[in-house]
Amino acid sequence: MIIVAVSVICLILIIFIQIEQKCQQRADEFAIRKIGIDNAIKALQELAYGDIMLPEKYKYRYRSQAIKLIERLKQK
């Protein structure tokens, strides 16, 4: 019974993570369509390497995500 409950909870967490990633990807694509790929890269570079004041708990998470997205966009 406990194994089934843990399995269900893990499955729900995996589904939520996948939904969050899909929503983030759609938001990135929307921003690129609206402002253009060059402006999106510039904004991401400012987020990753600039002096934008982010709370400490978000600073490293968003920086690493921005760097990964910059690399992906440069390949397009």
Side-chain angles (χ1 to χ4, degrees), residues 63-75:
R63 179 174 288 151
S64 64
Q65 286 179 348
I67 292 169
K68 289 176 188 175
L69 187 54
I70 290 168
E71 294 302 318
R72 195 178 85 206
L73 292 176
K74 285 183 178 181
Q75 292 176 357

Side-chain angles (χ1 to χ4, degrees), residues 23-36 40:
C23 289
Q24 183 63 41
Q25 184 180 22
R26 290 179 73 193
D28 294 340
E29 291 170 1
F30 176 78
I32 291 167
R33 281 194 312 269
K34 288 296 182 182
I35 66 173

Side-chain angles (χ1 to χ4, degrees), residues 6-34:
V6 170
S7 298
V8 169
I9 290 171
C10 289
L11 183 62
I12 290 171
L13 288 174
I14 289 170
I15 291 171
F16 281 135
I17 290 170
Q18 288 178 343
I19 290 171
E20 180 184 0
Q21 289 174 346
K22 183 72 171 175
C23 289
Q24 183 63 41
Q25 184 180 22
R26 290 179 73 193
D28 294 340
E29 291 170 1
F30 176 78
I32 291 167
R33 281 194 312 269
K34 288 296 182 182

